[in-house]
Amino acid sequence: MNRRLQLMAVAALSCVVLGGCGSSPNTIRAGYVTGPDGTDGSAEAEAITSGIESYAAESSVQTRVYTASADTEEAYAVQFDAAAEDGTSYVIASGENMEVPVYAAQNKHTKQKFLFLDGQPRESREYEATIRKNTECVKFSAADMGFITGYAAVRDGIRNVFYLGSTKEGEHLEAYNGFLSGVQYALDEQSLSSTMMTVSAEFAGSDELSPLRLSDALRAFDSGAELIVTDGQNLARAAGEAAVSRGAAVATIGFDGREISSGVLYGAVPDRAGAVEYLLTAFDADSSAFKGGSLVTLGAAEHAVMLAVDYAMFGSFTESGLQSIIDAIADGTVTVYKPAAGDGTESGAGDPNAEAPHAFPVGEVAPVTPNANSGLGDAAAVTAETDASAEAAGTDETAAAEDAPVEEAEEDTGDAEDTGDTE
């Protein structure tokens, strides 16, 4: 039984779990403010709850859930007020829908400390973020999630990968560089020649859902790719459809793409349970560990990233293999490439737009573009593309898929960079 399962077992027997033993004022160490659906309202809420429970079980402290009666600013304010009245040491919230409520709470309860995941406080959606010194905001390392994505692929025996990205900027570039680092480390670890690895990359310019991206994915699989890796949710939808058609697979960075398509094999995602447990434990050990007024990035070193996967679906890569590489990053044995500081990127050295060092060649592929002269339209374009062989990849018939009907989807907004001001 691993450490987290042991802690969860202790939590089940202890009275210091969420909502447990009738907490009294001034003794609540951590409180979680949630929406009306409570701690099981989303996978993110469940993970944060798990992290708080594990921390409570190990530290023998009391915690509490503050559940809003409605998804309104007024209802959240009532719960933040209740946490303040209880003297809760750390008030936890998460998600973009909590940005305005947390903004109001941090300004009203200036002696309270707020831990805010996956968002930044702002007066309204039209304003930039303002992080007071009593608030620490948390995001998760795109580079580290990219690293374990590439590492897992190579360790599972994949030797031909197509990277389908939206842009080479900000967190998208971090994810790509992390992927390159992970592939290179896995090759070196197994003493494999760089000539044994084939990597191609395409940057489509956006994460918009388009039949052209389906064409790109089909072309990649027909050209020999065993796996497509992407950090765009709409790109994952197109790649997943292609993977199902070709009997291939997709991996995602930053989200669990298995929820989008059955063609997705695994996703590198934030480990919110691990992050919350790590932070609360660190705050207890050293009060200066609380980085008020700032946006911090957590990754493998903080055990804050993981794979969303059924390990039985892997050929050879195991959960223990993932834990080993995360432990190696945490103890400094393995270093994940990070771009230079500035422009919203993570800290590191060198050119912020440079690619991570790698010995294997990467062939950059141009996206399929519209071709009005192809003579194919609507459903015929998709039919022709789906039935195309490798010999037909990249032809006018492939490009003609632009006009084909594809299920509508909103553009993913979860990849937008954080640009909020800090105090």
Side-chain angles (χ1 to χ4, degrees):
M1 181 179 291
N2 64 32
R3 179 170 175 269
R4 172 144 304 146
L5 291 177
Q6 290 175 328
L7 291 173
M8 291 293 288
V10 173
L13 298 174
S14 172
C15 71
V16 290
V17 296
L18 292 170
C21 293
S23 305
S24 59
N26 304 316
T27 62
I28 308 300
R29 187 61 176 166
Y32 183 24
V33 178
T34 74
D37 292 331
T39 58
D40 58 354
S42 67
E44 291 78 10
E46 291 178 1
I48 291 170
T49 301
S50 174
I52 297 173
E53 288 177 340
S54 295
Y55 158 74
E58 186 172 72
S59 304
S60 297
V61 297
Q62 296 192 48
T63 59
R64 176 172 288 175
V65 173
Y66 299 91
T67 304
S69 60
D71 187 19
T72 65
E73 294 177 29
E74 294 76 14
Y76 289 123
V78 170
Q79 298 308 315
F80 282 116
D81 289 347
E85 292 174 5
D86 285 346
T88 304
S89 300
Y90 297 97
V91 181
I92 302 168
S94 63
E96 291 184 355
N97 67 313
M98 293 291 287
E99 290 186 333
V100 175
V102 171
Y103 174 87
Q106 70 172 4
N107 291 337
K108 182 176 182 180
H109 305 294
T110 56
K111 294 183 179 180
Q112 196 115 47
K113 291 182 178 179
F114 297 89
L115 181 60
F116 190 22
L117 284 69
D118 301 308
Q120 295 185 62
R122 62 189 77 235
E123 186 174 359
S124 72
R125 296 303 303 169
E126 291 73 30
Y127 288 85
E128 292 199 357
T130 301
I131 308 174
R132 292 182 61 95
K133 293 188 181 300
N134 60 335
T135 302
E136 176 179 322
C137 295
V138 175
K139 67 175 184 176
F140 296 90
S141 173
D144 286 11
M145 288 185 283
F147 183 97
I148 64 174
T149 301
Y151 179 85
V154 176
R155 287 308 303 258
D156 199 49
I158 299 294
R159 297 293 178 264
N160 191 326
V161 179
F162 182 76
Y163 192 97
L164 179 58
S166 54
T167 68
K168 292 177 74 173
E169 300 174 350
E171 291 189 350
H172 301 291
L173 178 59
E174 292 173 16
Y176 178 59
N177 274 330
F179 163 77
L180 295 177
S181 294
V183 169
Q184 186 62 63
Y185 187 82
L187 291 173
D188 293 343
E189 187 178 52
Q190 299 176 93
S191 300
L192 297 175
S193 168
S194 60
T195 60
M196 299 180 66
M197 194 71 200
T198 299
V199 176
S200 301
E202 174 192 315
F203 298 93
S206 75
D207 184 35
E208 292 181 357
L209 184 64
S210 166
L212 295 176
R213 304 294 74 84
L214 172 61
S215 296
D216 290 327
L218 288 166
R219 179 179 63 177
F221 286 133
D222 290 341
S223 298
E226 301 166 81
L227 179 75
I228 289 180
V229 173
T230 183
D231 70 337
Q233 294 193 29
N234 285 321
L235 295 177
R237 186 186 299 270
E241 184 175 339
V244 171
S245 172
R246 295 300 191 258
V250 175
T252 55
I253 300 173
F255 58 96
D256 187 353
R258 298 176 303 167
E259 300 174 353
I260 296 174
S261 171
S262 62
V264 177
L265 174 62
Y266 67 97
V269 300
D271 183 352
R272 294 177 176 85
V276 169
E277 183 181 354
Y278 169 86
L279 288 170
L280 292 175
T281 302
F283 298 160
D284 284 349
D286 181 1
S287 60
S288 66
F290 180 82
K291 305 299 183 184
S294 63
L295 171 65
V296 301
T297 301
L298 301 185
E302 297 79 24
H303 292 266
V305 298
M306 64 181 187
L307 288 184
V309 65
D310 176 358
Y311 282 92
M313 301 299 291
F314 274 139
S316 57
F317 191 60
T318 63
E319 187 172 6
S320 63
L322 174 66
Q323 194 58 54
S324 293
I325 193 65
I326 287 179
D327 289 344
I329 296 172
D331 66 22
T333 304
V334 175
T335 301
V336 179
Y337 178 86
K338 306 288 176 67
D343 298 326
T345 62
E346 299 180 27
S347 62
D351 180 358
N353 298 313
E355 288 189 1
H358 53 279
F360 55 88
V362 177
E364 191 152 330
V365 179
V368 170
T369 56
N371 187 339
N373 298 320
S374 66
L376 293 177
D378 300 326
V382 168
T383 299
E385 180 54 46
T386 302
D387 294 339
S389 65
E391 296 178 359
T395 64
D396 286 349
E397 287 81 5
T398 300
E402 183 200 16
D403 294 328
V406 171
E407 180 183 0
E408 291 290 332
E410 292 182 0
E411 181 175 350
D412 173 37
T413 59
D415 294 328
E417 291 189 63
D418 293 314
T419 58
D421 298 331
T422 60
E423 293 189 349

mmCIF file of all heavy atoms in Angstrom, residues 11 52 83 161 193 221 236 276 346 413:
data_model
loop_
_atom_site.group_PDB
_atom_site.id
_atom_site.type_symbol
_atom_site.label_atom_id
_atom_site.label_comp_id
_atom_site.label_asym_id
_atom_site.label_seq_id
_atom_site.Cartn_x
_atom_site.Cartn_y
_atom_site.Cartn_z
ATOM 1 N N ALA A 11 -7.296 8.345 7.596
ATOM 2 C CA ALA A 11 -8.312 9.388 7.592
ATOM 3 C C ALA A 11 -9.692 8.802 7.811
ATOM 4 O O ALA A 11 -10.549 9.402 8.470
ATOM 5 C CB ALA A 11 -8.267 10.153 6.268
ATOM 6 N N ILE A 52 -6.551 17.250 1.390
ATOM 7 C CA ILE A 52 -6.796 17.803 2.721
ATOM 8 C C ILE A 52 -6.978 16.679 3.739
ATOM 9 O O ILE A 52 -6.467 16.738 4.867
ATOM 10 C CB ILE A 52 -8.028 18.725 2.695
ATOM 11 C CG1 ILE A 52 -7.778 19.917 1.765
ATOM 12 C CG2 ILE A 52 -8.348 19.226 4.100
ATOM 13 C CD1 ILE A 52 -9.009 20.789 1.543
ATOM 14 N N ALA A 83 -15.557 30.959 7.524
ATOM 15 C CA ALA A 83 -14.180 30.496 7.717
ATOM 16 C C ALA A 83 -13.397 31.497 8.555
ATOM 17 O O ALA A 83 -12.583 31.114 9.411
ATOM 18 C CB ALA A 83 -13.511 30.278 6.368
ATOM 19 N N VAL A 161 6.561 9.271 -32.712
ATOM 20 C CA VAL A 161 5.586 10.147 -32.076
ATOM 21 C C VAL A 161 5.357 11.391 -32.933
ATOM 22 O O VAL A 161 6.297 11.963 -33.483
ATOM 23 C CB VAL A 161 6.050 10.580 -30.672
ATOM 24 C CG1 VAL A 161 5.025 11.514 -30.031
ATOM 25 C CG2 VAL A 161 6.301 9.370 -29.782
ATOM 26 N N SER A 193 19.992 4.676 -29.033
ATOM 27 C CA SER A 193 20.495 5.646 -29.998
ATOM 28 C C SER A 193 19.381 6.604 -30.417
ATOM 29 O O SER A 193 18.211 6.221 -30.520
ATOM 30 C CB SER A 193 21.035 4.924 -31.229
ATOM 31 O OG SER A 193 21.274 5.839 -32.288
ATOM 32 N N PHE A 221 -0.770 9.419 -38.593
ATOM 33 C CA PHE A 221 -0.868 7.976 -38.363
ATOM 34 C C PHE A 221 -0.547 7.196 -39.627
ATOM 35 O O PHE A 221 0.128 6.161 -39.579
ATOM 36 C CB PHE A 221 -2.259 7.621 -37.850
ATOM 37 C CG PHE A 221 -2.514 8.000 -36.421
ATOM 38 C CD1 PHE A 221 -3.684 8.663 -36.060
ATOM 39 C CD2 PHE A 221 -1.589 7.696 -35.431
ATOM 40 C CE1 PHE A 221 -3.925 9.010 -34.737
ATOM 41 C CE2 PHE A 221 -1.823 8.044 -34.095
ATOM 42 C CZ PHE A 221 -2.992 8.699 -33.759
ATOM 43 N N ALA A 236 -7.092 17.381 -29.216
ATOM 44 C CA ALA A 236 -7.231 16.004 -28.726
ATOM 45 C C ALA A 236 -8.498 15.362 -29.268
ATOM 46 O O ALA A 236 -8.532 14.152 -29.534
ATOM 47 C CB ALA A 236 -7.244 15.992 -27.202
ATOM 48 N N VAL A 276 -1.946 19.863 -2.595
ATOM 49 C CA VAL A 276 -2.527 20.424 -1.377
ATOM 50 C C VAL A 276 -1.860 19.835 -0.137
ATOM 51 O O VAL A 276 -1.511 20.558 0.810
ATOM 52 C CB VAL A 276 -4.053 20.185 -1.347
ATOM 53 C CG1 VAL A 276 -4.626 20.506 0.025
ATOM 54 C CG2 VAL A 276 -4.736 21.040 -2.409
ATOM 55 N N GLU A 346 8.186 29.755 -17.067
ATOM 56 C CA GLU A 346 8.778 29.318 -15.808
ATOM 57 C C GLU A 346 10.253 29.686 -15.767
ATOM 58 O O GLU A 346 10.876 29.973 -16.784
ATOM 59 C CB GLU A 346 8.599 27.805 -15.666
ATOM 60 C CG GLU A 346 7.148 27.396 -15.649
ATOM 61 C CD GLU A 346 6.971 25.904 -15.514
ATOM 62 O OE1 GLU A 346 7.858 25.260 -14.951
ATOM 63 O OE2 GLU A 346 5.941 25.394 -15.966
ATOM 64 N N THR A 413 -10.316 27.291 -23.402
ATOM 65 C CA THR A 413 -9.775 28.485 -22.799
ATOM 66 C C THR A 413 -8.892 28.193 -21.612
ATOM 67 O O THR A 413 -8.369 29.087 -20.962
ATOM 68 C CB THR A 413 -10.906 29.430 -22.344
ATOM 69 O OG1 THR A 413 -11.720 28.728 -21.405
ATOM 70 C CG2 THR A 413 -11.737 29.877 -23.527
#
